[in-house]
Structures are given as structure tokens and as C-alpha cells.
């Protein structure tokens, strides 16, 4: 099996592990990001991450935490295969001679290149995912007391989309065709390029720190988990506001848009909610990033090593 096929296979396994571990956190993140700013004197639909979890479980059950997983599950193989394969090919180009470990700086460059490639797959996939995850928050304003069930849990909101295929069909038919699926591409690039550059650089730096040098081939699984988890946290810690902008653009109404573009969304979020508005859902995102990326990197490294 060639190096490309090995990276494709290992990336697929890593992506699947990341998705299963991290999707519930991602659902709560998107719900918090996309909920409308309430009128003056009114509370937001979700008071925070814990409240969002309670309302989601009460209205939709555990399945609600995995809503929208069909789209990334269908493409997780392609996404992570592209990410790790492009990174692997860039490593081969940057390596001074076969078998020589890359420096942290070279891993940063390889990660940035991989980020460019995956952005064009991530954008339409995440648009579909965000529409499904956010529709209950966007469908209605905060429920009236009579509409709440026992314990004040909101009654299920109306559903606009029946699933990932329904979202894609609607966008292609009513929102400008293929171009509509790439709404939010600019903030996606602004997230993926620097985010992956930092993530792969931090991952390599921590591995070398633990190993005491550039040779990290003998590191155990515990060390890989630590390096992967911290690398994932560095990704979201560095680029989170761009993800908020991406999410609000992708769930914005096509016929009556609230935002004209990325910079307009950025300005309006700041005007309405201040800097904290750019960090809506940050807690769930960071809570997700450590275990999900630890699982991803560990699964990738173990699979890649097993393939030789």
C-alpha cells in the first residue's frame, strides 16, 4: 500500500473517531452560535451550554445531540482523508531527505496547505450540518409558558428540513445552485488555514517536547492523546470567532438576509453582543476539541503505524 493510500485510510479512521466523540458538543456549539439576539428585557432561548443540552434532550431526546451527523458522516472519510493526505504529501515536499523528521515550522506550512484543500469540502458539508443543528433554535422565539412542558422544557419547534439530502436539495433549488452550498467559504478558509497550521505545529511541538527531540516514533498512546488533545484546543482557541461568523452566515435566511457578507456579520455581532458574541458556544467547542482531536490523532497514528 502506497503512502497516499495509507494516509487516506488512516485519515478516514481518525475522522470517524473524531466525529463520534465530538458531534454532541458541536451540536450545542452551533445552537448557541445561531440563536437570535433576544429583544431587550427578554432572555435568550438558551441560557448557556448546560441549558441547551437540557432543552435539546427534553424536546428531541438523545438523538437531538446527533442531529446533522449524516452530512459529516457521509463525508468524514473524504474530509480527513484529504486533510491527512495533503499534509502527508506536503511533508514529502518539505522534507530535506527521505526519513528525516520535519521541524515544527515545516509542520505549520504543511498544516496550512492541508487547510486550504479541506476548506472546499468543509464549507458545503458544514452548511448542511449547521442548518440541521440550528433549525430548532431559529424556528421559533423563546417559547411562551403555555408552550413549555414539565420543568419548563420547550415544546418541539417546527422542522424545516427533513435531513441532509433535503437541505442540499433546497439550497440547490432555491439558493443559487451550487454557489449556495459554498456560502461562508471565506470564513471557512479563514478558520481552516491558520487553524490547521497552528494545530499541526502544536501537535508536533508537544510530541517533540515529550520525546526530548525530533524523533517521536517511540511515543506511547498516552503521549499521543495528550498531544492531540492540546493541538485540537489550540485550533479552536486561535480561530473561534471566524467559526461564529461562518455559522451565522450559513444559517442566514436567503430571501431576507440579515448579513451581506463576512465583515458585515462580524460588525453586527460586535454591535449587538460585543466581543462575547464572537465567542458564543466557545465552552462546548473547547470541551469537544480536546477529546475529539485526541481520538482523531490517536486513531490516525495507530492506523498509520499498523499499515507500515
Amino acid at each position: 500500500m502506497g503512502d497516499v493510500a495509507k494516509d487516506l485510510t488512516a485519515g478516514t479512521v481518525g475522522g470517524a473517531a473524531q466525529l463520534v466523540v465530538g458531534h454532541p458538543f458541536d451540536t450545542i456549539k452551533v445552537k448557541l452560535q445561531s440563536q437570535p439576539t433576544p429583544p431587550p428585557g427578554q432572555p435568550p432561548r438558551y441560557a448557556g451550554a448546560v441549558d441547551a443540552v437540557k432543552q435539546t434532550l427534553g424536546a428531541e431526546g438523545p438523538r437531538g445531540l446527533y442531529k446533522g451527523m449524516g452530512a459529516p458522516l457521509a463525508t468524514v472519510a473524504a474530509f480527513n482523508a484529504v486533510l491527512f493526505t495533503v499534509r502527508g504529501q506536503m511533508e514529502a515536499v518539505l522534507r530535506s531527505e527521505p526519513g528525516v523528521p520535519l521541524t515544527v515550522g515545516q509542520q505549520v506550512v504543511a498544516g496550512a496547505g492541508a487547510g486550504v484543500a479541506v476548506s472546499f469540502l468543509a464549507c458545503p458539508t458544514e452548511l448542511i450540518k449547521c442548518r440541521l443543528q440550528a433549525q430548532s433554535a431559529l424556528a421559533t422565539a423563546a417559547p411562551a409558558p403555555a408552550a413549555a412542558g414539565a420543568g419548563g422544557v420547550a415544546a418541539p419547534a417546527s422542522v424545516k428540513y427533513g435531513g441532509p439530502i433535503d437541505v442540499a436539495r433546497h439550497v440547490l433549488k432555491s439558493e443559487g445552485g451550487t454557489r449556495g452550498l459554498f456560502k461562508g467559504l471565506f470564513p471557512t478558509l479563514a478558520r481552516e488555514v491558520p487553524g490547521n497550521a497552528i494545530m499541526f505545529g502544536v501537535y508536533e511541538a508537544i510530541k517533540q517536547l515529550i520525546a526530548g527531540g525530533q524523533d517521536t516514533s517511540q511515543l506511547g498512546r498516552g503521549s499521543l492523546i495528550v498531544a492531540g488533545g492540546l493541538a485540537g484546543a489550540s485550533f479552536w482557541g486561535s480561530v473561534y470567532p471566524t467559526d461564529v461568523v461562518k455559522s451565522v452566515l450559513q444559517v442566514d435566511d436567503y430571501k431576507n438576509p440579515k448579513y451581506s457578507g463576512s465583515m458585515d456579520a462580524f460588525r453586527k455581532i460586535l454591535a449587538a453582543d460585543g466581543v462575547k458574541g464572537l465567542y458564543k458556544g466557545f465552552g462546548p467547542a473547547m470541551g469537544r476539541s480536546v477529546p475529539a482531536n485526541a481520538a482523531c490523532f490517536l486513531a490516525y497514528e495507530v492506523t498509520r503505524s499498523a499499515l507500515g
Side-chain angles (χ1 to χ4, degrees), residues 233-252:
S234 72
F235 180 107
W236 288 108
S238 60
V239 299
Y240 192 79
T242 63
D243 186 67
V244 174
V245 171
K246 177 199 71 69
S247 292
V248 299
L249 282 177
Q250 290 185 326
V251 302
D252 198 17

Side-chain angles (χ1 to χ4, degrees), residues 40-103:
Q42 296 295 317
R45 181 177 179 86
Y46 304 115
V50 174
D51 184 48
V53 171
K54 289 179 179 178
Q55 288 198 41
T56 300
L57 290 174
E60 305 172 66
R63 291 179 60 184
L65 294 173
Y66 283 90
K67 183 171 284 187
M69 196 171 82
L73 184 61
T75 57
V76 67
F79 181 91
N80 283 277
V82 169
L83 179 68
F84 283 99
T85 301
V86 172
R87 173 202 175 217
Q89 293 305 298
M90 290 198 68
E91 284 181 342
V93 172
L94 294 168
R95 189 171 282 116
S96 58
E97 57 184 83
V100 175
L102 266 65
T103 65

Side-chain angles (χ1 to χ4, degrees), residues 68-175:
M69 196 171 82
L73 184 61
T75 57
V76 67
F79 181 91
N80 283 277
V82 169
L83 179 68
F84 283 99
T85 301
V86 172
R87 173 202 175 217
Q89 293 305 298
M90 290 198 68
E91 284 181 342
V93 172
L94 294 168
R95 189 171 282 116
S96 58
E97 57 184 83
V100 175
L102 266 65
T103 65
V104 172
Q106 289 172 321
Q107 287 288 359
V108 168
V109 174
V116 173
V118 298
S119 293
F120 292 91
L121 184 59
C123 186
T125 300
E126 294 198 8
L127 182 141
I128 293 170
K129 173 181 70 68
C130 286
R131 295 280 180 96
L132 290 170
Q133 290 173 322
Q135 64 178 339
S136 61
L138 296 173
T140 60
V153 175
S158 59
V159 175
K160 182 177 181 180
Y161 303 112
I165 300 299
D166 190 36
V167 178
R169 186 184 298 117
H170 174 84
V171 173
L172 289 171
K173 181 180 179 180
S174 307
E175 299 187 21

Side-chain angles (χ1 to χ4, degrees), residues 15-52:
Q18 181 185 51
L19 185 64
V20 171
V21 172
H23 194 79
F25 293 93
D26 191 62
T27 295
I28 299 304
K29 171 181 72 73
V30 172
K31 283 178 179 287
L32 291 173
Q33 287 178 338
S34 58
Q35 65 175 330
T37 300
Q42 296 295 317
R45 181 177 179 86
Y46 304 115
V50 174
D51 184 48

